[in-house]
Amino acid sequence: MSSRLQAILWVRPRLRILNQLLLPHRREYVEINDCRAGHHAIASMQTRGAPAIAIVAALSLAAELCGLEFSSAATAQAHIRQQLAYLSTSRPTAVNLFDA
């Protein structure tokens, strides 16, 4: 791993985020494999800042989708909409964050 500090590491299908709760004393990364883990990381403020929150939400959904198969496009679309709605509850005070 590089000595350069990176808040978000994405190597498909793996998402790892810097746990910002531990800074500046420790550098620890949290693996995000699905929307539940992404929601937790955002809600618990392991990731902070509107751009980082939006990226973690999008990539946690992408990581989850990499491991799923759907019987139809409609089923996939319904799942994606449901997960986006769930992720949007992770930081209720972030106004318009998920409009992007």
Side-chain angles (χ1 to χ4, degrees):
M1 184 178 303
S2 169
S3 62
R4 188 175 66 153
L5 193 63
Q6 293 181 291
I8 299 169
L9 302 170
W10 170 256
V11 178
R12 187 178 181 203
R14 277 183 56 175
L15 171 62
R16 297 176 68 218
I17 63 160
L18 181 65
N19 184 346
Q20 295 182 16
L21 294 172
L22 303 177
L23 294 176
H25 305 290
R26 287 184 24 213
R27 181 192 298 190
E28 181 179 297
Y29 285 87
V30 176
E31 186 130 355
I32 307 292
N33 297 314
D34 56 26
C35 291
R36 182 176 301 272
H39 186 283
H40 175 73
I42 295 166
S44 68
M45 297 188 72
Q46 289 177 325
T47 191
R48 299 178 192 177
I53 291 169
I55 292 167
V56 168
L59 291 179
S60 67
L61 177 58
E64 180 174 305
L65 292 173
C66 284
L68 297 177
E69 291 185 22
F70 298 97
S71 59
S72 69
T75 304
Q77 184 181 36
H79 179 79
I80 291 167
R81 287 183 190 275
Q82 179 182 20
Q83 295 305 79
L84 287 173
Y86 170 65
L87 286 164
S88 72
T89 67
S90 62
R91 190 72 60 87
T93 58
V95 179
N96 300 328
L97 181 61
F98 291 90
D99 289 348

